[in-house]
Amino acid sequence: MSNPEKLRYTKEHEWLSDVVDGVATVGITEFAANALGDVVYAQLPEVGETVTEGETCGELESTKSVSDLYSPVSGEIVEANQDVVDDPALVNTAPFEGGWLFKVRLSEEPKDALSFEEYTKLTAGN
Amino acid sequence: MSTAPRLTALDALHRSLGATMTDFAGWDMPLRYASERDEHNAVRTKAGLFDLSHMGEITLTGPEAVKALDYALVGNISTVGVGRARYTHICQEDGGIVDDLIVYRLGETEYMVVANASNAQVVLDALTERAAGFDTEVRDDRDAYALLAVQGPESPGILASLTDADLDGLKYYAGLPGTVAGVPALIARTGYTGEDGFELFVSPEHAVELWQALTKAGEGVGLVPAGLSCRDTLRLEAGMPLYGHELTTSLTPFDAGLGRVVKFEKEGDFVGRAALEAAAEKAATKAPRKLVGLIAEGRRVPRAGFPVTFGGEVIGEVTSGAPSPTLGKPIAMAYVDAEHAAPGASGVGVDIRGTHEPYEVVALPFYKRQK
């Protein structure tokens, strides 16, 4: 599995991009996408909504289960990926690219984000 | 209690194929190899290869084997010809369903009962106890067989390339001994996918060899290894009940809409007869909840245990639900009150984590193959 080195991660298997003009992009990792199986439904937070680091902000439904989506950062949603709402399989096929989930204008720096090395170590045993 | 999961004879092969494994009734089984949706579609349009070695085989032999089965089960086993198979139930004294079974008549006085993995021990114990007064031997054959299934429209062609057995003469719900790829096998035209297909009972020592031969034979026609996840969506589309979901000890076959499997006309008593006669009468006068199909108008998936609602009232419960790859929409089986069970009944929905999502009531199955 190839987690991009430039991203930051969470224990709940979300990834977080570099912050550009105060805005970061959020998705779930390939590890999470594989564990879920085929994603068939994505409920994403809405533009304008305020999310809090570590709290649920949506859900991802796969053939066998439904999983809460946690926000890895606190801030205001500035965009939700409509492509994923229309075609949830993008989360499986391109988790780090076209399958991104939402963009957040950060209100503070994330406290619990993991580095590439820390996340790789976390998932290595699996 | 925590014990190590049991492994099938194909375990190493599954891992080499990169399968995602899951615990199922104490067995470590392949859930999927890559995408369960692709595996599902392959079985519908080409072919899929399953390892079902977790299923429980029990053999009854002897002059009174059939009498013992007629007493132990609700079906009329004495009408099953050699080489044929029958779907039936084993019930408690109170009529509750212990398991659903397939009984194969392998010879004049030899029958093989196939039970669900989760119930194999219970069924073995019940058959042993119920057969005690008859001249028959009940044999635990769970370790004697590995079970491979080839399912899908290409399966007859794949199998024909590996066997001299008369597959054209082998009807649906029939099974006879033969040889596949040089391996002795009981070849049965049964399955749980709604497609044409075969189940091959073989000695575990031959399982890998047979799997590889089938894989090679199916290479050119799109055969793929298929896991339990797609088996579940396939059987759901085909409207087939699953023990623990549509069938439980708290339901009789009449409650499950399967009263036709109970054969009161057979000779002699059978376990559950009195209770089932009462259940049949009750079902005729006042219909119990009915098993129906639900098709989502939206995209959220109903799961087992979710309430079915109408005008804010609970009118039933989902027993199985999944996104249907064939229909492209979430589907479910549910028991609902008779007045809301008619196909097209309006205003019916499923409470999905607090939101009432509209569903269309339809007759089962969702999918029927073209013959």
Side-chain angles (χ1 to χ4, degrees):
Chain A
M1 193 175 68
S2 53
N3 298 312
E5 288 185 36
K6 59 180 192 226
L7 301 177
R8 285 183 288 174
Y9 297 88
T10 69
K11 287 196 290 291
E12 282 80 29
H13 309 288
E14 284 95 17
W15 58 258
L16 178 66
S17 76
D18 277 348
V19 181
V20 180
D21 297 335
V23 173
T25 306
V26 172
I28 66 164
T29 65
E30 189 176 358
F31 178 86
N34 282 339
L36 279 171
D38 292 330
V39 176
V40 296
Y41 173 80
Q43 186 190 55
L44 302 179
E46 286 173 23
V47 173
E49 200 176 310
T50 305
V51 294
T52 307
E53 181 178 347
E55 294 192 0
T56 63
C57 63
E59 62 184 37
L60 292 175
E61 185 130 30
S62 66
T63 306
K64 292 313 273 182
S65 66
V66 57
S67 301
D68 282 329
L69 181 62
Y70 295 89
S71 181
V73 286
S74 297
E76 184 189 332
I77 300 293
V78 295
E79 194 179 347
N81 189 354
Q82 189 59 37
D83 290 347
V84 163
V85 174
D86 295 339
D87 179 13
L90 277 174
V91 173
N92 297 105
T93 53
F96 296 111
E97 290 121 23
W100 64 271
L101 299 178
F102 54 85
K103 293 179 195 276
V104 193
R105 182 173 303 282
L106 270 56
S107 56
E108 55 185 297
E109 263 299 297
K111 297 178 202 70
D112 292 330
L114 306 176
S115 68
F116 162 79
E117 288 80 12
E118 286 167 327
Y119 183 70
T120 303
K121 211 165 143 191
L122 179 76
T123 52
N126 300 287
Chain B
M1 192 181 70
S2 157
T3 49
R6 299 182 66 180
L7 308 179
T8 79
L10 295 160
D11 187 74
L13 220 156
H14 298 317
R15 289 169 201 280
S16 74
L17 291 169
T20 300
M21 306 297 284
T22 187
D23 175 76
F24 188 86
W27 290 80
D28 209 15
M29 300 299 292
L31 184 64
R32 59 186 138 82
Y33 298 83
S35 153
E36 60 242 333
R37 193 188 298 120
D38 292 348
E39 291 168 23
H40 180 109
N41 291 333
V43 174
R44 284 273 176 265
T45 58
K46 296 178 181 95
L49 178 56
F50 296 84
D51 177 10
L52 305 176
S53 300
H54 59 310
M55 301 294 284
E57 297 86 3
I58 301 154
T59 307
L60 276 79
T61 54
E64 291 194 321
V66 68
K67 279 193 175 174
L69 288 168
D70 270 342
Y71 171 69
L73 313 178
V74 302
N76 193 353
I77 308 306
S78 50
T79 61
V80 179
V82 174
R84 300 306 303 266
R86 183 71 49 85
Y87 174 81
T88 188
H89 290 171
I90 180 169
C91 290
Q92 302 176 154
E93 279 289 355
D94 68 0
I97 303 165
V98 177
D99 199 8
D100 62 339
L101 308 167
I102 295 181
V103 180
Y104 297 87
R105 187 176 182 188
L106 303 183
E108 280 302 325
T109 58
E110 183 178 3
Y111 294 82
M112 181 174 75
V113 176
V114 180
N116 284 297
S118 54
N119 291 328
Q121 187 63 49
V122 179
V123 172
L124 175 67
D125 292 346
L127 285 178
T128 305
E129 190 190 318
R130 294 175 189 189
F134 299 90
D135 185 3
T136 178
E137 186 206 341
V138 180
R139 193 170 69 224
D140 177 4
D141 269 348
R142 284 176 293 179
D143 294 335
Y145 293 108
L147 176 56
L148 278 63
V150 195
Q151 301 278 305
E154 296 288 351
S155 55
I158 292 167
L159 206 59
S161 72
L162 296 173
T163 183
D164 294 332
D166 175 19
L167 297 181
D168 290 337
L170 191 67
K171 293 182 185 141
Y172 188 52
Y173 266 80
L176 279 171
T179 302
V180 181
V183 169
L186 169 66
I187 307 168
R189 200 160 203 156
T190 45
Y192 195 50
T193 60
E195 296 301 329
D196 192 7
F198 300 87
E199 295 185 307
L200 306 169
F201 296 85
V202 299
S203 165
E205 62 183 303
H206 292 135
V208 169
E209 187 187 344
L210 181 59
W211 178 282
Q212 286 168 340
L214 289 162
T215 300
K216 192 154 188 292
E219 232 167 33
V221 291
L223 173 94
V224 298
L228 292 185
S229 181
C230 80
R231 183 170 150 91
D232 192 43
T233 50
L234 289 159
R235 70 92 196 168
L236 177 58
E237 286 183 352
M240 294 173 171
L242 174 62
Y243 196 86
H245 290 255
E246 286 72 38
L247 311 177
T248 70
T249 48
S250 61
L251 296 173
T252 71
F254 294 95
D255 299 321
L258 291 166
R260 64 190 145 77
V261 307
V262 183
K263 304 297 183 189
F264 293 118
E265 71 276 14
K266 67 179 170 178
E267 269 181 49
D269 195 20
F270 62 90
V271 179
R273 180 191 273 271
L276 289 167
E277 277 170 351
E281 203 169 312
K282 200 173 140 208
T285 51
K286 186 186 176 297
R289 280 188 168 177
K290 281 191 172 160
L291 187 65
V292 298
L294 299 174
I295 300 181
E297 290 167 27
R299 291 165 70 171
R300 302 183 78 188
V301 184
R303 306 287 178 184
F306 285 13
V308 181
T309 55
F310 175 85
E313 299 287 312
V314 175
I315 57 154
E317 188 178 305
V318 171
T319 50
S320 296
S324 160
T326 304
L327 277 66
K329 292 175 178 176
I331 59 172
M333 286 202 265
Y335 283 111
V336 303
D337 291 342
E339 64 256 45
H340 298 288
S346 62
V348 172
V350 177
D351 183 342
I352 298 187
R353 297 179 290 281
T355 323
H356 176 96
E357 296 281 331
Y359 275 75
E360 183 192 350
V361 178
V362 299
L364 293 168
F366 298 99
Y367 166 87
K368 207 166 186 178
R369 79 183 161 100
Q370 306 294 314
K371 291 186 187 173

